[in-house]
Structures are given as C-alpha cells and as structure tokens.
Amino acid sequence: TELKDQLIKQQQQQQRSDPAGNQSTDQVSLISTDGSSSSSSSTVQCFTEPWFSMEAVSVDLPDHLTASWQSAESASDLALPPKNPYIPSDFGLKTEADVSAAAAAEGPAANGPKQQQQQGLDGVQSWMLVEGESAKPELVLAQPPAMIIDEPGLRVWHKLASTYQQPRLCTYFRISSPTAAASAAAAVLCVLWLRLIEEQLAEDAYLADVAGLHWSCSSEGLCGVEIRVDGFSHKLGVLAGRVFGALAQCKVHAAAMLFKFRGAFC
C-alpha cells in the first residue's frame, strides 16, 4: 500500500501525458516498506484498465528486488488451509432398490420398503388419500415417515424422498429431557450451553457451509433440545459426528467467551 501511494504521488507530480491523454510514463525511485529507497529507477505506466474503467498502475520491479524474493526463506506463519473434510465426492442417489437390498442383507426381520410403506399407512386417515379408502399407497398425499427402530430410549423414523432426485439428506435429532426447562436457571443454562457449542463449531460450520452442509440447534423447552443437520448425504455423517462430539465434550474458554456472551440475553 505504501509503495502504491508513493507511485501515485510521484506520478501526479511528474506526469507527462501523451497526446491522447490515456497513458503516461514516469521514471520513479521505488520506496520499500522498511523506508529504504532503491537506487535504480523503474518505469511506471499509469493507464485505465478496460474491464471496470478504473485507473491502474503498472511498474517494472528492479532486478535486485525480485532476486531477493527468490532467495527469501518461507514464513513459518504462512501455510495452506487444511483439507476440508466435508466436501462430498459421492453423489449417488438412494433408491427403493438400495433400501430393499440393505433390508435383505440384514435378514427377514428387517423392514423392507413395502413394510415401511404399510407401517406408515397405519396412521393415515381416508381424507389424506386421493381416492378415499380405496386409494393405493402410492396415492397418499402426505405419507408419514416409517419407524425403523423402536428401542428403550431410542426411536428412529425414516422417509425416502424421491421427488426431486437429489443426493441430499435432512436429519432431525431430538434429545428429549424435561430437565432443560425444569426451572428458569435450567432454561438459561441450556441456551448458554447451545451457544457455546455453536461458538466451538464456528470453523467447522464455515467449512461445512462451503461444502453444502448445514447444522443448527435449538432449545425446545420441556421437549428438550433439537439438532438439525442437512445437506449432501455423503459427508453428512462426518458433520453429525462432529456436532455430537462437541455436545458430549463442550470446551469452554471463559476469557474468550466473556465478551461474546455479555449481551447474549439482553
């Protein structure tokens, strides 16, 4: 910046425009950022660049300066960013055939797509069908997800969306616990805990967003805490694992967080 300002200043003081008035050439001495001046002069061309019609400066750097760059040592504090672990490479679509093959591999007790579909129809009323009670399962306007796991403390629902044909996945996790809203203090601590998680995962959230993945968390009062992770399905599990790892082992740096949360609950 100092070099550019010096060049522009000298150009304004010593400008010699050509007859067309579009370009000027000056002989100036380069001023380095450490205050030392170069004994050799360089040619400076001031012109208007053609893309945005802005004034620009072109200068030929002296040989001794470019030679010093070639022999300079690399800075230890400069490095390329680490590899983004959330960038997907598999964009294959999950179809009913894939679900059937996975169910067959797990054994006859596994729920196939037909069983899931029939299980999903158990709670469907006649008004939800296109042709009333005589409608076929594929004519259901809003088929609910099928419960594929029902164990003590864990329930999992799944619904295969095939309308838009995209390799994306949307997952909702709910940690059900009335403790999160048992008192005013508990509710505040729950919100503070979630904001600490968001702060801890800020860098991961940026990398994931670049790769088409997103996550969010919110307090649902007496229902507990809800976490949403969505985006390209290939690396969604990596982000989900990172989120739940942070939930299980939240790291709090009090000195760094004091200023951030000073106005959090205003």
Side-chain angles (χ1 to χ4, degrees), residues 95-179:
T95 64
E96 289 189 359
D98 298 327
V99 177
S100 300
E106 293 177 3
N111 288 332
K114 296 298 183 181
Q115 290 177 298
Q116 294 178 14
Q117 191 177 53
Q118 184 60 43
Q119 183 179 2
L121 289 174
D122 292 341
V124 175
Q125 304 298 324
S126 59
W127 59 269
M128 300 174 64
L129 306 178
V130 176
E131 300 178 1
E133 297 181 356
S134 62
K136 297 180 180 180
E138 57 267 18
L139 298 180
V140 177
L141 292 179
Q143 179 180 337
M147 184 185 298
I148 58 177
I149 297 179
D150 187 5
E151 300 176 354
L154 176 63
R155 286 183 177 180
V156 179
W157 287 266
H158 173 263
K159 181 176 181 179
L160 181 64
S162 58
T163 302
Y164 299 104
Q165 298 292 315
Q166 293 185 0
R168 295 179 179 272
L169 184 65
C170 186
T171 58
Y172 295 87
F173 304 91
R174 173 163 291 181
I175 304 176
S176 299
S177 174
T179 307

Side-chain angles (χ1 to χ4, degrees), residues 7 10 14 16 25-30 40-44:
L7 292 175
Q10 293 193 21
Q14 305 176 7
R16 295 194 302 271
T25 303
D26 298 278
Q27 298 292 328
V28 298
S29 297
L30 293 178
S40 61
S41 60
S42 299
T43 300
V44 178

Side-chain angles (χ1 to χ4, degrees), residues 3-249:
L3 176 60
K4 179 181 178 181
D5 294 341
Q6 183 69 20
L7 292 175
I8 295 177
K9 182 178 179 181
Q10 293 193 21
Q11 188 272 336
Q12 292 175 346
Q13 295 176 350
Q14 305 176 7
Q15 184 177 19
R16 295 194 302 271
S17 300
D18 62 0
N22 294 325
Q23 181 171 304
S24 62
T25 303
D26 298 278
Q27 298 292 328
V28 298
S29 297
L30 293 178
I31 306 298
S32 63
T33 55
D34 59 2
S36 61
S37 61
S38 172
S39 59
S40 61
S41 60
S42 299
T43 300
V44 178
Q45 294 182 343
C46 298
F47 62 97
T48 300
E49 53 87 19
W51 293 277
F52 299 98
S53 299
M54 298 179 63
E55 294 184 358
V57 176
S58 174
V59 57
D60 295 331
L61 298 177
D63 295 338
H64 76 278
L65 181 60
T66 56
S68 65
W69 291 347
Q70 295 178 357
S71 59
E73 297 181 357
S74 59
S76 58
D77 56 344
L78 295 179
L80 293 174
K83 182 180 178 180
N84 189 340
Y86 305 113
I87 296 180
S89 58
D90 183 3
F91 299 96
L93 297 176
K94 300 298 182 181
T95 64
E96 289 189 359
D98 298 327
V99 177
S100 300
E106 293 177 3
N111 288 332
K114 296 298 183 181
Q115 290 177 298
Q116 294 178 14
Q117 191 177 53
Q118 184 60 43
Q119 183 179 2
L121 289 174
D122 292 341
V124 175
Q125 304 298 324
S126 59
W127 59 269
M128 300 174 64
L129 306 178
V130 176
E131 300 178 1
E133 297 181 356
S134 62
K136 297 180 180 180
E138 57 267 18
L139 298 180
V140 177
L141 292 179
Q143 179 180 337
M147 184 185 298
I148 58 177
I149 297 179
D150 187 5
E151 300 176 354
L154 176 63
R155 286 183 177 180
V156 179
W157 287 266
H158 173 263
K159 181 176 181 179
L160 181 64
S162 58
T163 302
Y164 299 104
Q165 298 292 315
Q166 293 185 0
R168 295 179 179 272
L169 184 65
C170 186
T171 58
Y172 295 87
F173 304 91
R174 173 163 291 181
I175 304 176
S176 299
S177 174
T179 307
S183 64
V188 172
L189 289 175
C190 180
V191 174
L192 181 60
W193 172 55
L194 294 180
R195 294 196 178 186
L196 288 171
I197 298 299
E198 291 176 349
E199 182 66 24
Q200 181 177 339
L201 296 177
E203 294 185 5
D204 289 85
Y206 171 77
L207 295 175
D209 183 74
V210 171
L213 288 171
H214 314 279
W215 86 279
S216 62
C217 60
S218 60
S219 175
E220 299 298 324
L222 293 174
C223 294
V225 174
E226 184 172 286
I227 299 98
R228 171 173 174 166
V229 186
D230 63 90
F232 289 109
S233 57
H234 183 210
K235 293 300 182 69
L236 187 140
V238 178
L239 178 59
R242 182 73 178 91
V243 170
F244 280 93
L247 289 172
Q249 299 178 350

